[in-house]
Amino acid sequence: MKRLITILVLLIMSSCHFGKNGILVEIKNTSNETIHNVTFSSDRKTKLEIEKIKPNESVEEFLDMTNNQKGDGSYELIFERENGKKEQTGGGYYTNGGSLDRKVICEIKKDKVLIQFMGTVY
């Protein structure tokens, strides 16, 4: 029983990026076209860059905000559609250089972008 509890604790800690300053970012492409040059950022130095995401695919990565600016700010998503149109949207909020949430899901649809923040940390 102790062994099972130890394994569960280790799995939970490793999946939550325990102790790291940042946010888990999931970007879903539910449009019918490939999106290119995807960037999710909290400041100029702190960003995730993904070359492309095909239709009905998603990418999940951890945005490490350890070296983020120590002030307050918001997140930004920039990407390019197949027709070359560049789109930019912002949302969310971080304070003192750290995320207030555990995860963000960005869903890119044919004509809009939905952003949902989850798991507020207090």
Side-chain angles (χ1 to χ4, degrees):
M1 187 64 169
K2 286 183 182 182
R3 190 174 186 168
L4 179 61
I5 292 171
T6 303
I7 291 170
L8 286 173
V9 169
L10 289 173
L11 284 173
I12 291 170
M13 287 176 47
S14 66
S15 68
C16 296
H17 302 284
F18 185 73
K20 285 197 173 188
N21 178 23
I23 188 167
L24 187 60
V25 179
E26 182 178 357
I27 302 173
K28 296 179 180 180
N29 180 5
T30 58
S31 73
N32 57 359
E33 61 187 19
T34 301
I35 56 172
H36 301 275
N37 304 319
V38 182
T39 303
F40 185 89
S41 63
S42 57
D43 69 9
R44 290 183 184 170
K45 296 184 229 173
T46 308
K47 57 187 167 185
L48 297 174
E49 296 177 314
I50 302 149
E51 186 177 331
K52 66 181 176 179
I53 304 174
K54 294 180 181 178
N56 299 311
E57 287 188 350
S58 65
V59 174
E60 187 173 276
E61 292 187 30
F62 185 74
L63 178 66
D64 185 352
M65 296 172 66
T66 305
N67 297 319
N68 200 54
Q69 66 182 6
K70 297 307 174 201
D72 296 354
S74 62
Y75 302 97
E76 181 177 56
L77 175 67
I78 301 171
F79 64 94
E80 192 175 304
R81 295 199 183 263
E82 272 188 355
N83 64 6
K85 182 181 176 192
K86 193 172 186 177
E87 293 194 27
Q88 178 177 349
T89 187
Y93 180 74
Y94 64 85
T95 186
N96 295 324
S99 180
L100 297 171
D101 301 288
R102 291 192 186 270
K103 184 174 183 177
V104 58
I105 300 172
C106 303
E107 184 177 358
I108 298 170
K109 294 181 167 274
K110 179 182 178 181
D111 57 350
K112 60 185 164 187
V113 178
L114 303 176
I115 299 177
Q116 178 184 10
F117 289 86
M118 303 187 313
T120 303
V121 179
Y122 291 105

